Amino acid sequence: MNKRVTTGEPPLVAHIIHRLDVGGMENGLVNLINHMPVDRYRHAIICMTDYTEFSQRIQRADVSLHSLHKHEGKDFGVHTRLYRLLRQLQPDIVHTRNLATLETQVTAWLARVSARVHGEHGWNVGDLDGSNRKNRRLRRLVRPLVDQYIALSQQQLQYLHDAVGVDGARLNHICNGVDVARFSPATTDNRASLPADFAATDSMVIGSVMRMQSVKAPGDLVQAFIQLRERLPAEQFSRLRLVMVGDGPLRDDLLKELTAAGLDSQSWLPGGRDDVPQLLRAMDLFVLPSLAEGICNTILEAMATGLPVIATRVGGNPDLIQPGKNGVLVPAGQPDSLADTLVAYLTDDARRDKEGQQARAMAEEQFSLAAMVDSYMAVYDKVLVSK
């Protein structure tokens, strides 16, 4: 057993990620660290590139942050820097996340870190189903070095078993948790978080929170919103508002598309925001049109806020959405189908209310932060005991 365990000092987990910035995986990491008992594990976050102001959300003073400043493209020197840092930190466990850091399992092995964990939080942008041969070959080559795997979705768990060949004893399915106190239903009308005069009390706000990049398919939601003008009576459509929170390379094009359609006064794309809980409470319906997902934090946050969710049938979304109970699943990449589904929800107040209430109940009962933290600690305990 590790020396730190026998002397009573909490073991150190070195989390290796690409970059600490706004994102679902990063949000899950910060939640995990903030809610894990300080006497169980200490933490260091190693960023292959760098970290941003998002790091200020870490509430523990004992967490160290490290940047390796990886260059674009091939940067073999980053592994030398990582090796030296690992020898300096001497972590008890290395926990890598996603394909971008998988190869650092080799560096951790060379640095004599005896306990190694890898997590799959979502698909690579250029490989949305894991079929890329080069990526699959890398996963198989590194497989002997990983003691335990964590997959957030059932789809990724099955992929690791079937395509990568990971035996069941090393596979763990852990869903993200959501802070149901921070994300909670509105007790009064919460339109005040929206721009002045943007939405009235009788407006219907269709909302989303996402990174404005191609894998999230924000353009499909914009297209579906534009189509609603032809599918709803003019008076009803005039009450609709579209709120899409998040920044990214597609945001400017989406703004231009909505303006060209004459819908700039009915839409608001504010970019990245720090008041997401308040903005979710201003919404009536949540939509996520992604082409690929792991376990999506924004879906969990919308559920905790008491919103019915329309999401695409990809990745881990079916793990969260039970059609007819807390929302519905639609085909990915089909704005027409999304528009049809929106019409069905916008014309059925009772359905929205019922599914929103059930979404909140599911978030409280099935996706608590406490359950997530306990599951991660169980994996960490397992790899330490085996050494």
Side-chain angles (χ1 to χ4, degrees):
M1 184 176 289
N2 189 280
K3 181 179 178 181
R4 286 196 179 101
V5 177
T6 59
T7 59
E9 186 179 15
L12 175 64
V13 182
H15 305 270
I16 302 179
I17 63 175
H18 179 69
R19 177 181 172 87
L20 186 58
D21 201 351
V22 177
M25 181 274 289
E26 296 82 358
N27 186 62
L29 171 59
V30 170
N31 280 337
L32 175 67
I33 289 174
N34 285 343
H35 291 84
M36 188 173 290
V38 295
D39 61 343
R40 289 295 308 278
Y41 286 96
R42 296 178 300 122
H43 304 273
I45 300 177
I46 302 174
C47 305
M48 298 299 287
T49 55
D50 206 347
Y51 56 88
T52 69
E53 292 181 355
F54 184 79
S55 61
Q56 295 176 9
R57 297 191 184 185
I58 299 172
Q59 298 170 1
R60 287 177 53 169
D62 62 339
V63 178
S64 62
L65 290 169
H66 309 269
S67 298
L68 297 178
H69 305 292
K70 181 181 183 296
H71 305 309
E72 289 291 334
K74 296 293 183 182
D75 180 7
F76 298 107
V78 74
H79 292 283
T80 300
R81 298 192 292 276
L82 175 60
Y83 175 87
R84 291 171 178 167
L85 178 60
L86 290 175
R87 293 300 297 157
Q88 173 189 335
L89 294 174
Q90 295 189 15
D92 301 274
I93 300 171
V94 153
H95 185 165
T96 58
R97 285 169 168 82
N98 287 338
L99 187 68
T101 63
L102 180 58
E103 63 186 21
T104 66
Q105 287 278 338
V106 178
T107 313
W109 174 72
L110 291 171
R112 298 193 287 279
V113 182
S114 61
R116 297 176 296 274
V117 176
H118 179 69
E120 291 285 353
H121 292 247
W123 298 108
N124 184 273
V125 173
D127 185 20
L128 297 182
D129 60 359
S131 61
N132 181 282
R133 292 183 179 180
K134 180 180 178 182
N135 293 342
R136 187 180 297 184
R137 188 181 304 115
L138 173 61
R139 287 187 169 100
R140 288 175 173 171
L141 286 172
V142 176
R143 180 186 62 200
L145 301 181
V146 181
D147 297 305
Q148 291 290 321
Y149 285 85
I150 296 172
L152 270 65
S153 71
Q154 289 287 354
Q155 181 194 43
Q156 289 168 315
L157 193 77
Q158 199 66 41
Y159 173 82
L160 288 171
H161 183 271
D162 296 346
V164 182
V166 181
D167 59 277
R170 290 193 290 158
L171 289 172
N172 304 272
H173 178 220
I174 303 178
C175 242
N176 283 341
V178 60
D179 188 339
V180 296
R182 182 168 181 244
F183 294 92
S184 58
T187 54
T188 59
D189 181 72
N190 203 50
R191 305 296 197 206
S193 59
L194 302 177
D197 301 323
F198 174 69
T201 55
D202 65 342
S203 296
M204 185 68 60
V205 179
I206 302 167
S208 190
V209 180
M210 69 176 90
R211 176 76 177 161
M212 301 296 174
Q213 60 187 33
S214 57
V215 70
K216 299 296 184 180
D220 287 355
L221 178 52
V222 167
Q223 278 294 313
F225 185 70
I226 293 172
Q227 289 184 31
L228 292 178
R229 181 166 48 191
E230 306 300 325
R231 303 185 186 214
L232 294 171
E235 181 181 354
Q236 185 176 6
F237 180 76
S238 67
R239 295 171 50 218
L240 296 186
R241 298 294 183 268
L242 176 66
V243 174
M244 299 174 66
V245 181
D247 212 344
L250 299 181
R251 179 170 171 264
D252 288 344
D253 290 339
L254 298 172
L255 287 167
K256 292 176 183 176
E257 187 174 357
L258 288 162
T259 299
L263 297 176
D264 49 314
S265 64
Q266 289 180 245
S267 55
W268 184 49
L269 282 68
R273 300 276 294 206
D274 292 326
D275 57 344
V276 171
Q278 291 81 4
L279 291 172
L280 284 171
R281 284 191 280 271
M283 300 174 186
D284 298 291
L285 180 65
F286 188 85
V287 182
L288 193 76
S290 305
L291 302 179
E293 281 292 346
I295 291 295
C296 181
N297 283 297
T298 55
I299 287 181
L300 289 171
E301 292 164 0
M303 289 171 56
T305 308
L307 297 175
V309 177
I310 301 174
T312 45
R313 192 180 290 105
V314 298
N317 290 351
D319 295 356
L320 305 179
I321 304 301
Q322 295 183 22
K325 184 173 183 180
N326 65 325
V328 69
L329 296 167
V330 298
Q334 297 186 24
D336 292 353
S337 178
L338 178 55
D340 290 338
T341 304
L342 282 167
V343 169
Y345 271 88
L346 295 170
T347 56
D348 193 339
D349 295 349
R351 179 182 184 182
R352 292 196 311 276
D353 291 342
K354 178 183 177 182
E355 293 187 4
Q357 292 172 11
Q358 293 184 133
R360 171 67 183 183
M362 289 175 64
E364 291 179 315
E365 295 167 6
Q366 301 179 30
F367 302 108
S368 71
L369 282 175
M372 178 192 77
V373 171
D374 286 346
S375 296
Y376 273 93
M377 289 195 300
V379 174
Y380 294 160
D381 292 347
K382 188 190 305 184
V383 294
L384 286 182
V385 167
S386 67
K387 298 302 173 180

